[in-house]
């Protein structure tokens, strides 16, 4: 009996990995900018928004690795079997957002790199260097390299951000944060920010597809099927890490920036620089390198995982159900081509359309937000339908919880549509 328990624990530990990739993808602009800004502008009053956002997306993101472990297929295969509508909707979401998202996370990382290293290089040059480094790591190290890198990055980021928050608490700013009056939540600007914050925290729902692909790839690397229990444990490690780090950045905003009297920039890179500067004023100049490293690593993790995720998705879109050795060779070929084409087109967007880049980002954000209920419903149908064996489907109470969360996502969408078109 003891041997069986030891074997079960070993199997679960071997499953750990894709969750860290999800965390790496999640911990980006949503954490560094939006979570920090929520605390900076509104204080503790918006902590409920962060919690509700993380809870409402939990089941539908968890269904990705659950489906992969239970069926041996990723969600794209499931969507295609579910029907033309789910499959085409997912393709539309991917093609409509991937170049813009790749460009957005890269340019923010580039700005933070220059802020940290101060080489005098342009954001465009930094963007190219960062993407080349990520592509080299992914092509040379392949999945194992990505897996190991992300475990190190997420662990480093967690400790660096936690240390920063502990120091902020030690600086004695809690009383000021509690006593400072928060702005009204019922203005057009506040409601708009809350909607965007909930939409991107901790990550859009299409990341459930990425996680299902990474889970399947992890099984290939382990040369054994990942159990649903192992996939669930792995997901919780990654998702709870992303939620916890989101909370840490929110607390940084409250403790370091709220009530400071500073007018915060809407530009992500400038906002990050303001965070570093205010941290230096609160704790001393010596603290700037710590928060600079935390901010840069935050965004680097996102660029690395996004640079891997979209080519994997593209390689699976044509024939997701084919899995023979010759099919895998063809998909690897498509992956290698896509890993260059997507960054090149993203850099082209940065170069030629920098003036309208904010509009493009808003479009991608809106598309991801509006697609959330669709993807949530597709994922729910897959894990409760015939493609999943009965013992791997969620239980009754978990289904009820999932439907409540689905209702919340639908409500968020109606509020978003009202705010965007009718207010």
């Amino acid at each position: 009996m003891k041997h069986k328990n030891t074997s079960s624990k070993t199997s679960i530990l071997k499953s750990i990995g894709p969750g860290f990739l999800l965390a790496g993808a999640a911990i980006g602009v949503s954490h560094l900018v939006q979570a920090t800004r929520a605390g900076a502008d509104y204080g503790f009053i918006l902590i409920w928004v962060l919690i509700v956002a993380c809870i409402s997306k939990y089941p539908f993101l968890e269904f990705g690795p659950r489906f992969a472990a239970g069926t041996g297929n990723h969600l794209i295969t499931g969507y295609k079997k579910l029907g033309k509508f789910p499959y085409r909707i997912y393709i539309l979401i991917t093609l409509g957002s991937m170049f813009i998202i790749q460009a957005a996370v890269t340019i923010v990382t580039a700005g933070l790199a220059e802020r940290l290293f101060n080489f005098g290089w342009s954001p465009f040059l930094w963007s190219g260097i960062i993407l080349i480094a990520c592509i080299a790591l992914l092509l040379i190290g392949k999945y194992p390299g990505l897996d190991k890198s992300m475990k190190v990055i997420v662990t480093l980021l967690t400790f660096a951000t936690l240390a920063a928050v502990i120091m902020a608490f030690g600086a004695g700013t809690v009383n000021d944060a509690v006593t400072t009056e928060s702005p009204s939540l019922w203005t057009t600007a506040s409601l708009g920010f809350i909607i965007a914050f909930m939409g991107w925290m901790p990550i859009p729902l299409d990341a459930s597809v990425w996680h299902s692909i990474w889970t399947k790839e992890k099984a290939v690397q382990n040369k054994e099927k990942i159990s649903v229990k192992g996939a669930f444990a792995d997901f919780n490690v990654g998702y709870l890490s992303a939620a916890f780090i989101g909370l840490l950045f929110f607390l940084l905003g409250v403790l370091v920036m709220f009530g400071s009297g500073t007018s915060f920039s809407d530009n992500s890179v400038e906002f990050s620089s303001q965070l570093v500067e205010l941290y230096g004023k609160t704790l001393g100049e010596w603290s700037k390198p710590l928060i600079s490293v935390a901010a840069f690593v935050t965004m680097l993790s996102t660029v690395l995982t996004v640079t891997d995720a979209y080519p994997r998705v593209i390689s699976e879109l044509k024939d997701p159900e084919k899995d023979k050795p010759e099919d895998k060779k063809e998909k690897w070929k498509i992956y290698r081509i896509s890993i260059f084409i997507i960054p090149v087109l993203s850099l082209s967007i940065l170069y030629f359309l920098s003036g309208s880049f904010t509009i493009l980002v808003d479009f991608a954000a809106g598309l991801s937000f509006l697609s959330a209920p669709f993807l949530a419903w597709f994922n729910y149908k897959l894990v409760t339908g015939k493609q999943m064996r009965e013992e791997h489907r969620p239980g009754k109470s978990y289904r009820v919880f999932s439907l409540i969360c689905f209702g919340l996502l639908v409500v968020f969408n109606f509020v978003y549509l009202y705010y965007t078109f009718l207010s």
Side-chain angles (χ1 to χ4, degrees):
M1 189 68 175
K2 187 176 180 180
H3 173 74
K4 185 177 180 181
N5 289 337
T6 303
S7 177
S8 177
K9 289 178 182 178
T10 302
S11 177
I12 290 175
L13 287 174
K14 287 178 69 176
S15 303
I16 301 297
F20 279 96
L21 304 188
L22 178 72
I27 302 164
V29 175
S30 62
H31 288 58
L32 179 66
V33 178
Q34 287 186 307
T36 309
R37 184 163 195 138
D41 287 350
Y42 297 92
F44 286 110
I45 195 170
L46 279 193
I47 194 169
W48 67 270
V49 175
L50 187 151
I51 294 170
V52 170
C54 291
I55 290 175
S56 63
K57 292 179 182 176
Y58 177 93
F60 309 112
L61 285 162
E62 186 270 325
F63 290 159
R66 177 191 289 264
F67 183 80
T71 65
N73 296 317
H74 48 64
L75 287 177
I76 300 176
T77 302
Y79 293 159
K80 192 165 187 180
K81 290 183 177 180
L82 201 58
K84 290 182 179 180
F85 181 71
Y87 185 57
R88 289 174 179 174
I89 283 290
Y90 178 70
I91 292 175
L92 176 65
I93 294 166
T94 300
L95 296 180
S97 60
M98 66 178 180
F99 300 110
I100 303 167
I101 290 175
Q102 176 82 72
V105 298
T106 304
I107 197 66
V108 174
T109 310
L112 291 171
E114 177 58 30
R115 177 70 179 76
L116 179 62
F117 299 107
N118 198 28
F119 288 168
W121 295 350
S122 69
F124 186 79
L125 176 59
W126 268 116
S127 295
I129 292 170
I130 289 167
L131 286 172
I132 290 171
C134 289
I135 291 168
L137 174 63
L138 293 169
L139 290 180
I140 296 170
K142 299 182 181 179
Y143 180 85
L146 177 65
D147 189 9
K148 293 174 183 177
S149 299
M150 206 47 55
K151 287 176 181 176
V152 173
I153 288 173
V154 172
T155 302
L156 172 65
L157 175 60
T158 302
F159 282 113
T161 314
L162 181 60
V165 172
I166 290 172
M167 287 190 296
F169 270 107
T173 58
V174 179
N175 289 335
D176 292 338
V178 172
T179 56
T180 301
E181 185 177 355
S182 300
S184 172
L185 300 183
W186 304 109
T187 64
T188 301
S190 294
L191 288 174
F193 175 79
I194 290 171
I195 291 165
F197 183 35
M198 296 189 83
W200 285 85
M201 176 58 63
I203 194 170
L205 279 186
D206 43 325
S208 61
V209 177
W210 308 352
H211 199 171
S212 70
I213 293 174
W214 288 324
T215 300
K216 184 178 178 180
E217 184 62 28
K218 182 71 173 180
V220 172
Q221 297 299 322
N222 288 348
K223 296 181 180 179
E224 65 179 37
K225 185 179 179 181
I226 291 178
S227 67
V228 172
K229 187 176 181 180
F232 184 71
D234 168 70
F235 171 78
N236 282 328
V237 168
Y239 194 77
L240 295 178
S241 295
F244 178 64
I245 294 174
L247 175 63
L248 292 180
F249 275 109
F250 175 83
L251 291 174
L252 277 181
V254 175
L255 298 172
V256 177
M257 305 178 82
F258 183 54
S260 66
T262 303
S263 178
F264 300 120
S265 172
D266 290 329
N267 181 282
S268 297
V269 177
E270 291 179 12
F271 177 85
S272 303
S273 295
Q274 288 178 316
L275 171 62
V276 174
E277 290 300 321
L278 278 173
Y279 211 83
K281 290 179 182 178
T282 304
L283 301 177
E285 290 295 313
W286 63 270
S287 64
K288 286 186 178 181
L290 176 64
I291 197 64
S292 296
V293 169
F296 176 67
V297 171
T298 297
M299 290 308 306
L300 183 62
S301 69
T302 305
V303 176
L304 184 59
T305 47
V306 167
T307 303
D308 176 76
Y310 283 123
R312 286 189 186 276
V313 168
I314 295 300
S315 69
E316 296 290 344
L317 285 180
K318 183 181 178 183
D319 295 302
E321 298 173 62
K322 293 185 177 180
D323 212 20
K324 294 179 180 179
E326 58 269 25
D327 298 321
K328 291 180 180 179
K329 287 182 180 179
E330 179 65 22
K331 289 178 180 181
W332 173 241
K333 182 180 178 181
I334 295 173
Y335 174 89
R336 285 183 296 175
I337 295 172
S338 300
I339 205 173
F340 287 103
I341 290 178
I342 295 172
V344 166
L345 290 177
S346 299
L347 286 172
S348 300
I349 289 174
L350 291 175
Y351 186 80
F352 292 108
L353 299 175
S354 58
S356 56
F357 189 61
T358 302
I359 298 173
L360 293 174
V361 172
D362 288 343
F363 169 78
L367 182 62
S368 294
F369 192 91
L370 291 171
S371 67
F374 290 97
L375 293 177
W377 184 248
F378 298 157
N379 291 359
Y380 179 81
K381 292 291 288 182
L382 286 176
V383 298
T384 59
K386 295 179 180 179
Q387 294 187 50
M388 285 282 282
R389 291 166 60 180
E390 184 67 38
E391 63 267 27
H392 297 326
R393 297 173 191 171
K396 184 177 180 181
S397 58
Y398 195 19
R399 291 189 189 195
V400 172
F401 168 67
S402 301
L403 291 174
I404 292 172
C405 291
F406 175 73
L408 287 173
L409 293 177
V410 172
V411 170
F412 298 158
N413 261 255
F414 277 118
V415 174
Y416 173 80
L417 290 171
Y418 176 81
Y419 165 77
T420 304
F421 299 107
L422 298 177
S423 64

